[in-house]
Amino acid sequence: MAFENPLPPFNSNDPHATFMNSSCFELLMIELVPLSYRLSAENATNASVGVKATEEEEQREAVSRRLEMLGYRVGQGMVERFSRDRPRFIDTLDVIKFLCKDIWTLAFRKQIDNLKTNHRGVYVLTDTVFRPFIRMSYPSPADATARAQPFLWFPCGIIRGALSSLGIDATVQAESTELPAAVFQIKTTSTRS
């Protein structure tokens, strides 16, 4: 995997161009969730001396926030790097298409499979073979989808960070009803003119 040709969009004239190794990125994605849970548990025990550790829901919320903020920064960086040579986007739909085609290809080596919109600020992105879920296996399908949810928080942050860098405030929710598919719902809070 390390010797594959990079996928567009890239600027071959950029002497400082660096590319991401997909194997390393996949390993990072696998380890981010357990690491965030360990850090959250460690912070909870350090913060509460003699007090019961945080509840499972509070820990889950802290992990969600941590992963989404990490993804947010990654999304911002990707857009800053790969949209600088492009003309300005005209409307929100153009930004979402750029996200589905170019940014998603950079991060996950494939485009989003389906994009739906109600033309009122709600966009649904469907990835039928979401790369981080390809190697996941669990004894039961119900257990698999429940355990896969935390692995969607980082990509939600990537989407929100990319949109924020392009001037769109949005909320992003993700779900997976059947592995390896993932569905991301974007609700924009302000529309571009």
Side-chain angles (χ1 to χ4, degrees):
M1 283 192 186
F3 298 111
E4 295 175 1
N5 290 331
L7 296 173
F10 66 93
N11 185 352
S12 60
N13 297 330
D14 187 359
H16 304 291
T18 57
F19 300 102
M20 176 173 55
N21 184 319
S22 60
S23 299
C24 290
F25 185 67
E26 288 177 9
L27 291 171
L28 174 68
M29 290 284 296
I30 290 169
E31 187 55 30
L32 272 177
V33 172
L35 174 68
S36 294
Y37 272 106
R38 284 193 304 270
L39 289 174
S40 176
E42 186 179 297
N43 289 342
T45 56
N46 290 343
S48 60
V49 177
V51 178
K52 185 179 175 186
T54 61
E55 298 295 322
E56 186 176 320
E57 186 61 36
E58 291 175 358
Q59 183 182 27
R60 187 172 168 86
E61 188 66 33
V63 169
S64 168
R65 213 174 14 258
R66 176 185 301 275
L67 289 172
E68 208 228 337
M69 290 311 296
L70 286 170
Y72 183 86
R73 181 60 194 116
V74 169
Q76 283 182 325
M78 289 174 77
V79 166
E80 288 171 9
R81 174 127 176 110
F82 294 104
S83 69
R84 67 179 176 203
D85 296 332
R86 294 182 158 269
R88 209 158 200 32
F89 294 106
I90 307 226
D91 63 351
T92 306
L93 186 57
D94 289 339
V95 171
I96 299 291
K97 287 179 182 177
F98 170 71
L99 174 75
C100 292
K101 291 178 181 178
D102 298 332
I103 298 298
W104 209 255
T105 300
L106 286 168
F108 302 108
R109 295 186 11 200
K110 67 181 284 291
Q111 294 181 3
I112 287 284
D113 296 314
N114 193 358
L115 166 64
K116 295 180 182 175
T117 181
N118 66 355
H119 298 287
R120 293 187 183 104
V122 177
Y123 303 89
V124 178
L125 287 63
T126 306
D127 192 343
T128 55
V129 184
F130 187 53
R131 289 192 61 84
F133 289 170
I134 290 175
R135 292 183 179 87
M136 281 191 176
S137 64
Y138 292 101
S140 69
D143 187 38
T145 55
R147 288 184 173 223
Q149 187 63 36
F151 291 91
L152 293 171
W153 296 331
F154 184 77
C156 282
I158 290 176
I159 293 171
R160 202 170 66 82
L163 293 175
S164 175
S165 285
L166 295 169
I168 298 173
D169 293 326
T171 59
V172 181
Q173 296 176 338
E175 66 179 357
S176 179
T177 55
E178 184 180 333
L179 294 182
V183 177
F184 299 89
Q185 182 178 29
I186 301 170
K187 293 181 182 177
T188 58
T189 55
S190 64
T191 57
R192 295 172 60 110
S193 53

